């Protein structure tokens, strides 16, 4: 049976369609993605709870992937230390072919059954950690081999796949199956599958960071002060939370402490003196 992600597109003779027609049908197909994710939310919630528990206990999360899904996970991992102020190394990515060769898109490396586990061993993966495999097809050897090895070594596993009952799902403690259906261009899983994966990464990382106390109310109180825009946003956040009316005073307090959270802690300590 042909996997759903490889089944023929519902749309024929794309080369004969106008720009208006192509953009409309792509947009319509993308509109089905959130519905597919909604059906998988119970599975996703269990995975997020497992990730949260591991990180709270001092473990690490490893995204493990190839192709479009793996590259999208790289984006998520890069942004987390800046957005939520977590230490680098808590959330990681193991990419087929290596992150250092990301732009080369070495898709052939996804066929290497042993490389994923070998890369995890280089990171000294252990039973405190959780490994999350990413594969649209649910059969990628790079991911499958690593998850099988993790299972043998008592390492918790999860996965994000877009075909039901896949071999990768069978080797994941927390499988998440998001069935987005055939792509507009047959087999081009960078499209709906990729859109779903990006949304899921956002959901996972944001929810986990909230559970870890890296967000207060709806604000990034641990955001790193890496540029003028973010620093200005943080100063205004601090002014709103503390009641400090003078911008320069709030900015000085913020810069002296390095984050809104630490600045507020210092501000409250000063009030108690």
């Amino acid at each position: 049976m042909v996997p759903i992600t490889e089944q023929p597109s519902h749309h024929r003779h794309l080369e004969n369609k106008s720009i208006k027609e192509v953009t409309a049908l792509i947009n319509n197909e993308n509109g089905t993605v959130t519905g597919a994710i909604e059906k998988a939310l119970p599975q996703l919630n269990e995975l997020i709870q497992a990730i949260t528990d591991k990180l709270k206990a001092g473990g690490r999360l490893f995204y493990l992937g190839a192709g479009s899904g793996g590259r999208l996970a790289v984006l998520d991992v890069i942004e987390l230390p800046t957005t939520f102020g977590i230490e680098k190394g808590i959330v990681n990515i193991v990419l087929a072919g290596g992150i250092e060769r990301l732009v080369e898109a070495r898709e052939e490396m996804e066929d290497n059954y042993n490389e994923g586990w070998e890369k995890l061993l280089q990171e000294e993966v252990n039973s405190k950690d959780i490994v999350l495999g990413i594969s649209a097809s649910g059969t990628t050897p790079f991911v499958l081999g690593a998850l099988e090895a993790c299972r043998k070594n008592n390492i918790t596993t999860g996965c994000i796949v877009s075909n039901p009952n896949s071999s990768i799902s069978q080797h994941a403690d927390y499988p998440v199956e998001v069935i987005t259906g055939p792509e507009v261009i047959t087999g081009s899983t960078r499209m709906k599958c990729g859109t779903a994966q990006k949304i899921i990464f956002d959901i996972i990382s944001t929810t986990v960071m909230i559970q870890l106390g890296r967000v207060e109310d709806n604000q990034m109180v641990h955001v790193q002060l890496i540029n003028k825009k973010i620093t200005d946003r943080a100063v205004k956040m601090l002014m709103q939370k503390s009641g400090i009316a003078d911008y320069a005073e709030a900015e000085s307090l913020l810069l002296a402490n390095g984050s809104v959270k630490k600045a507020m802690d210092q501000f409250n300590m000063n009030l108690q003196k």
Side-chain angles (χ1 to χ4, degrees), residues 81-97:
T82 300
T83 304
F84 299 106
I86 64 168
E87 295 179 10
K88 291 183 178 180
I90 293 177
V91 180
N92 309 275
I93 173 68
V94 172
L95 183 68

Side-chain angles (χ1 to χ4, degrees), residues 133-164:
I134 305 149
S135 170
S137 68
T139 61
T140 308
F142 177 85
V143 176
L144 179 59
L147 293 195
E148 287 182 345
C150 285
R151 272 278 182 89
K152 293 175 182 177
N153 287 273
N154 197 34
I155 297 168
T156 302
T157 57
C159 72
I160 300 168
V161 298
S162 295
N163 283 304

Side-chain angles (χ1 to χ4, degrees), residues 76-197:
D76 198 52
V77 171
I78 288 172
E79 293 179 352
L80 296 185
T82 300
T83 304
F84 299 106
I86 64 168
E87 295 179 10
K88 291 183 178 180
I90 293 177
V91 180
N92 309 275
I93 173 68
V94 172
L95 183 68
I99 297 175
E100 66 278 4
R101 306 183 77 170
L102 174 66
V103 296
E104 295 180 25
R106 299 191 64 198
E107 307 265 347
E108 74 277 7
M109 298 305 295
E110 71 177 50
D111 293 331
N112 190 323
Y113 179 84
N114 297 312
E115 188 195 15
W117 176 240
E118 291 170 357
K119 286 183 174 293
L120 286 170
L121 287 178
Q122 292 171 10
E123 299 293 335
E124 299 182 347
V125 68
N126 59 73
S127 60
K128 292 182 179 180
D129 304 323
I130 182 168
V131 176
L132 176 55
I134 305 149
S135 170
S137 68
T139 61
T140 308
F142 177 85
V143 176
L144 179 59
L147 293 195
E148 287 182 345
C150 285
R151 272 278 182 89
K152 293 175 182 177
N153 287 273
N154 197 34
I155 297 168
T156 302
T157 57
C159 72
I160 300 168
V161 298
S162 295
N163 283 304
N165 305 313
S166 68
S167 53
I168 285 176
S169 287
Q170 292 169 17
H171 287 87
D173 300 308
Y174 298 94
V176 177
E177 298 175 324
V178 182
I179 313 303
T180 50
E183 299 287 0
V184 171
I185 296 177
T186 301
S188 182
T189 53
R190 71 183 185 88
M191 300 186 76
K192 284 192 298 182
C193 284
T195 300
Q197 288 164 343

